Amino acid sequence: MSYQRYNRGIGLRIQLRISIGFIMIVSLMLALAFVGLKHMAQVNLQIKNIVENNNVKIELGQIMQTALHERALSMHSIAVLKDAFLQDDEFIHFNSMGISYLNARKDLEALNLTSDEKEILSNIRILTKETQPYVQQVIQIGLDTQDPVIFDKIRELAIPKQRLIAEQVKKLVALQKEQALLALNNEQTSYKNARSLMLLLGSLATILGLTIAIFVIRHVTKLAKQLEYQALHDELTGLPNRLLFKDRVKSSLLRGQRQSISFSIILIDLDRFKAVNDSLGHNVGDLLLQEVARRLINNVRKVDTVARLGGDEFVIVLESLNHDETLQFADKLVSSINEPFLLAGHDIEVGVSMGIASYPKQGQDCSTLINRADIAMYEAKRNHKAYTCYTDKMKKHNLNVVRI
C-alpha cells in the first residue's frame, strides 16, 4: 500500500514537471511570437516612414534643386536672347520654375521634419527673401536692354545669392538621404537584436518553438530585404534609384581602374513629357515612364545599368564599349524611344535628349562624369539634337550652370 502511494507520488511529481515544462514552452512560444510580431510591426512602420516620408522629402528637395538650376539657365538665356518673344517664353519658364520651387518648399515644410531640417528650411526662406530683389533686378535688365553689363550683374548679384540657396538645398537633400540611410541602418540593427532574442528563446523551447522562431526570422528577413529594395529602387518603375546608381558607377570606376577599361554614362531626359502629363493626366504619365523604363531595359545588356533619377530623367551606365559602339547604341536607343507608345487608348509620341560622358576621357570620378553628361544633355537640348557627347569645348557652359 505504501508502495502504491510512493508510485502515485512519483507519477504526480512527473506530471507536475511535465505541466510546468509545457507551461514554460507555451510561455516561450508566446514570448517568441510577441517579439516577432512587435518587430514586424516596427519594420512595417519603418518601411512606411522611409517610403512615404523620407523618399517624399528627397523628391521634393530634388525638385527644388532642379528649379534653381532651371532658373539659373533662364537668367542666362534671357540675357543672350534677342528675340522678344523667345525672351517672354523664357521669362514664363523662369516664373514657372519659381512656382515649382516654392510649391516644393511648402510641401516639404508641411511634412514631419527634424529640427535640423527646419533650421535649413528657415535659412532657405531667409536667403530666398534676400535674393529675390537681386534676381528680379537682373531679369528686368535682361528684358529691358541687351546691355552686356547684365552678365556682370548675374555674376555679381544673382549667381552668388542663388548659389547660397543652392548650397542650403544641397545640404537639405544630403541630410534627407543621410536620414534615410540611418533609418535603414537602425532597422538592420533592430532586426539583429530581435533575431538574437528570438534565437535565445527558440533555443530554450521545443521543436515547435524553434519552428515558430524560424518562421518569424524568415518573415523579418523578407521584410528587411523589401525595405532595402525599396530604399534603393524607384517605386514606379522598379529601376535602381539615384543612390544605387551612384554605387554602380563607383563599382564601374574601380573596375575601370583595375582593368583599364572604359565605360560611358548616358543621361536621358524625355521631351514633351510635361505635355503628356498636363493633357492626359498623371496616370498616363506614369504608364509612359514605366514603358520607357521597359524599352531602356530591353536595349541594354545584363552588365549595363538603367536607373531613374527622378521625374522624366533616366540614366544608363554603359560598360566596355568604344566611342563608335556607344554612338551606335545611342542611335538604337533614340529609335526605340521615338516609336509611338499606345497607352490607355492614346497614341503617344515623345522624344529624348541625351548627354554622353565617358570614363576616363571626360572624367575620372562619379560627380564629374554625371556633371559632364548633364552638360552634354542640355547642349543637346539647346541644339535640338537627340544626343550629344561631352567635349572640352563645353566647359564654358559649366561656368554658367548652377548644378547641385
Side-chain angles (χ1 to χ4, degrees), residues 238-334:
L239 294 176
N241 61 14
R242 188 180 295 269
L243 289 175
L244 185 54
F245 160 70
K246 288 187 176 181
D247 184 71
R248 297 281 178 85
V249 174
K250 290 177 182 178
S251 298
S252 297
L253 286 168
L254 291 175
R255 186 164 51 252
Q257 292 167 359
R258 288 196 304 266
Q259 302 176 14
S260 298
I261 56 178
S262 64
F263 67 92
S264 298
I265 289 179
I266 303 179
L267 199 61
I268 304 168
D269 186 77
L270 297 182
D271 298 332
R272 299 184 296 278
F273 175 75
K274 185 177 183 299
V276 173
N277 255 352
D278 292 343
S279 60
L280 301 179
H282 291 283
N283 290 336
V284 176
D286 289 346
L287 292 174
L288 176 59
L289 292 174
Q290 291 171 339
E291 182 62 20
V292 169
R294 187 186 67 80
R295 291 191 185 183
L296 293 177
I297 292 173
N298 289 341
N299 277 281
V300 301
R301 302 160 301 171
K302 291 183 178 180
V303 296
D304 302 324
T305 297
V306 180
R308 183 186 177 207
L309 300 183
D312 60 338
E313 195 172 49
F314 297 82
V315 66
I316 295 176
V317 182
L318 201 60
E319 301 284 354
S320 305
L321 293 183
N322 60 35
H323 181 71
D324 291 337
E325 291 171 334
T326 300
L327 296 184
Q328 291 175 4
F329 173 83
D331 288 328
K332 184 176 70 170
L333 207 59
V334 171

Side-chain angles (χ1 to χ4, degrees), residues 135-181:
V135 174
Q136 292 296 339
Q137 180 182 354
V138 169
I139 291 297
Q140 194 61 46
I141 294 174
L143 292 172
D144 293 342
T145 180
Q146 291 295 322
D147 192 341
V149 76
I150 186 175
F151 292 105
D152 296 331
K153 294 290 185 181
I154 292 174
R155 284 192 293 269
E156 295 172 4
L157 298 179
I159 290 299
K161 296 290 184 180
Q162 288 280 83
R163 186 174 291 114
L164 291 176
I165 300 175
E167 289 173 354
Q168 289 295 312
V169 174
K170 181 179 180 181
K171 182 179 178 181
L172 178 63
V173 172
L175 175 62
Q176 292 162 346
K177 291 179 180 179
E178 181 182 346
Q179 289 174 345
L181 291 175

Side-chain angles (χ1 to χ4, degrees), residues 32 202 205-218:
L32 184 61
T206 59
I207 296 176
L208 182 58
L210 290 173
T211 302
I212 296 175
I214 292 172
F215 169 77
V216 174
I217 291 172
R218 286 180 176 177

Side-chain angles (χ1 to χ4, degrees), residues 325-384:
E325 291 171 334
T326 300
L327 296 184
Q328 291 175 4
F329 173 83
D331 288 328
K332 184 176 70 170
L333 207 59
V334 171
S335 298
S336 176
I337 302 300
N338 284 342
E339 286 291 325
F341 296 82
L342 182 58
L343 301 172
H346 300 283
D347 198 11
I348 301 171
E349 293 185 6
V350 295
V352 289
S353 297
M354 303 190 303
I356 304 173
S358 300
Y359 168 87
K361 289 185 178 180
Q362 278 85 51
Q364 300 186 17
D365 61 80
C366 181
S367 297
T368 302
L369 286 169
I370 295 172
N371 179 262
R372 291 182 173 177
D374 197 22
I375 293 171
M377 183 189 73
Y378 280 99
E379 186 71 16
K381 281 185 175 293
R382 292 188 190 97
N383 296 314
H384 304 289

Side-chain angles (χ1 to χ4, degrees), residues 168-237:
Q168 289 295 312
V169 174
K170 181 179 180 181
K171 182 179 178 181
L172 178 63
V173 172
L175 175 62
Q176 292 162 346
K177 291 179 180 179
E178 181 182 346
Q179 289 174 345
L181 291 175
L182 179 61
L184 178 60
N185 291 334
N186 288 341
E187 186 50 44
Q188 290 174 341
T189 301
S190 174
Y191 160 69
K192 290 178 182 179
N193 293 337
R195 182 181 64 177
S196 299
L197 181 56
M198 286 187 289
L199 289 175
L200 176 62
L201 294 173
S203 65
L204 301 176
T206 59
I207 296 176
L208 182 58
L210 290 173
T211 302
I212 296 175
I214 292 172
F215 169 77
V216 174
I217 291 172
R218 286 180 176 177
H219 192 69
V220 172
T221 302
K222 181 180 179 180
L223 288 175
K225 289 181 179 178
Q226 290 176 351
L227 171 63
E228 182 179 3
Y229 181 87
Q230 291 178 346
L232 297 175
H233 289 79
D234 174 58
E235 183 180 4
L236 178 64
T237 63

